[in-house]
Amino acid sequence: MTPIFRKELRAGIPFACLMVLVRIVEEISGWVTGYPDIYSLGDMIGQGGGSLEGPLIYFLLCFAYGYGLLIREKDEGTLEFLDALPASRTQIYLGKILAGCVIVAAMPLTWNTTLLVHGWLGRDSLETSLYLFDSFWTFLVEWFAGIVYLGIAVALSFLRRFAFLVLALLFLGYLKLSTMDLSWVRWLNILEVFDYTYYGSHPVPPWGKIAVAGAIGIAGFLAAYFAYLAQGDRMGRVAGALDRRGCLKPLLAAGAVSVVLVWLGIFIYYIVKSGPDYDPDAEREVQVVYESWETSRASGGGYDFIYPANLEHRAEGLIELAGETHRQVREFLGVPQVDGTIVANLGSNDPHFA
């Protein structure tokens, strides 16, 4: 398996370089057209969520790489040579897939490295962290997404020229389902694995969507594994035996009919849900629940702080620095001392309140 792994790593270097190049071009564009010197890493992390442009580019690159990862040997006529090696089909498959997983790590690794450089160069006096742990987590999540995209690519690659047609049909089916007001459809969007929520400036991965994407990726790798085994002589003999007994064509026909029935069911369901008499609000009851917490107060440095009691451990450090920070800012601006108490409402949306 090790020689196969090294061979696929060498073959995947151009794709890894392409992923790095895409990120470098994006970085140069940011330096030329943006203001990277005025943003801290916390600001950039907080502003980076919600866009599908990056995940879509990453998906297309992973799909282009994974499309030829397993079927290339069959198309080029070198599969028989691999079968002659002292390695099983499973070992060859694992060597190729592991090499592919390493290659798709190039883009998230480059992205998070440049993000750390941005944060280090743009640090201000309130930035107390380099966010190494957060960047490590985002790298793992994005790498995991690349592996899922690779699983989808290798599974569809055995359809040859119909792979892109099936991918387009899957995308169209998702768009149709997303218009039906079905709550579970949003979990199928594998591009939203990058859709973090933020606790201050700290990204929290969408673990539910990650689990669903992981299941889709595992299904893709398993389908590709059995399809890869089916290209061997043993499976060829099994297919020949089924054909001689007259079972192969009925099985293929049953599979095709099943696919048609599934799509026909989705189409009919969509027509019913899109009818003029359909009221989506009549089938569900929405209940809004607001989280409640106690409010705490503290004084320090001429400020009277109001904050949620569950954030007391985060407010203590800021309260201790309030007086000295106020004095330095006042002296820098050259303004006189203000008599009285300043009320500060501490929430969790401040990117530097961590």
Side-chain angles (χ1 to χ4, degrees):
M1 187 177 73
T2 302
I4 300 296
F5 176 77
R6 291 199 299 263
K7 167 185 171 295
E8 292 301 329
L9 278 183
R10 290 193 298 268
I13 289 177
F15 278 95
C17 293
L18 178 60
M19 293 181 181
V20 173
L21 180 62
V22 169
R23 176 54 194 158
I24 291 177
V25 171
E26 184 181 0
E27 182 71 13
I28 294 175
S29 175
W31 280 90
V32 173
T33 62
Y35 303 93
D37 57 322
I38 65 174
Y39 294 108
S40 67
L41 181 59
D43 294 330
M44 290 187 292
I45 290 178
Q47 296 171 2
S51 174
L52 293 180
E53 179 182 354
L56 181 59
I57 294 175
Y58 190 30
F59 173 81
L60 293 176
L61 291 174
C62 292
F63 191 88
Y65 170 67
Y67 179 78
L69 186 61
L70 296 178
I71 65 173
R72 184 178 66 249
E73 309 293 350
K74 179 68 173 180
D75 296 340
E76 295 177 354
T78 57
L79 187 61
E80 291 77 9
F81 172 76
L82 291 180
D83 288 337
L85 297 176
S88 64
R89 276 291 181 90
T90 301
Q91 291 175 323
I92 296 173
Y93 173 83
L94 291 177
K96 286 175 171 290
I97 294 301
L98 290 178
C101 293
V102 174
I103 294 298
V104 299
M107 193 166 185
L109 180 62
T110 308
W111 161 252
N112 285 279
T113 301
T114 54
L115 196 63
L116 283 174
V117 173
H118 261 293
W120 180 69
L121 294 177
R123 292 182 68 191
D124 52 31
S125 59
L126 296 178
E127 201 74 33
T128 60
S129 173
L130 281 177
Y131 298 94
L132 294 176
F133 183 75
D134 294 327
S135 297
F136 176 71
W137 266 112
T138 55
F139 163 72
L140 290 182
V141 171
E142 292 158 12
W143 187 17
F144 174 81
I147 295 175
V148 171
Y149 302 157
L150 182 66
I152 296 173
V154 295
L156 295 181
S157 65
F158 289 93
L159 299 176
R160 298 304 197 277
R161 60 181 178 274
F162 297 104
F164 296 96
L165 175 61
V166 173
L167 182 63
L169 290 175
L170 291 174
F171 179 71
L172 179 62
Y174 171 79
L175 291 181
K176 292 297 183 182
L177 289 173
S178 63
T179 61
M180 297 179 187
D181 199 34
L182 301 174
S183 59
W184 54 269
V185 175
R186 61 188 180 89
W187 297 100
L188 301 178
N189 192 343
I190 58 175
L191 297 180
E192 290 187 353
V193 174
F194 298 79
D195 190 18
Y196 309 107
T197 56
Y198 294 90
Y199 187 74
S201 295
H202 302 282
V204 179
W207 296 114
K209 294 179 181 179
I210 288 176
V212 174
I216 295 174
I218 292 174
F221 282 121
L222 288 176
Y225 172 70
F226 289 111
Y228 190 64
L229 291 183
Q231 295 185 127
D233 295 335
R234 180 180 301 176
M235 295 301 295
R237 290 192 294 270
V238 172
L242 291 175
D243 191 19
R244 288 191 297 271
R245 289 179 173 83
C247 300
L248 183 60
K249 292 181 179 179
L251 288 175
L252 295 177
V257 170
S258 300
V259 172
V260 172
L261 290 177
V262 169
W263 281 100
L264 185 61
I266 293 175
F267 182 70
I268 295 175
Y269 184 80
Y270 175 74
I271 292 178
V272 173
K273 292 293 185 179
S274 302
D277 299 329
Y278 173 68
D279 183 9
D281 295 330
E283 297 185 359
R284 64 177 183 175
E285 179 181 353
V286 179
Q287 183 179 4
V288 180
V289 179
Y290 295 96
E291 183 180 1
S292 60
W293 57 75
E294 297 181 357
T295 301
S296 297
R297 302 173 67 97
S299 299
Y303 287 85
D304 189 11
F305 294 92
I306 303 175
Y307 55 90
N310 61 323
L311 298 180
E312 182 175 0
H313 63 286
R314 301 176 63 193
E316 291 176 350
L318 184 60
I319 296 173
E320 294 177 358
L321 298 175
E324 180 63 20
T325 302
H326 178 75
R327 182 190 64 79
Q328 293 180 4
V329 174
R330 181 175 55 81
E331 293 180 355
F332 177 78
L333 298 176
V335 296
Q337 176 68 36
V338 178
D339 296 329
T341 302
I342 303 174
V343 178
N345 184 9
L346 300 182
S348 59
N349 293 326
D350 185 354
H352 297 298
F353 184 58

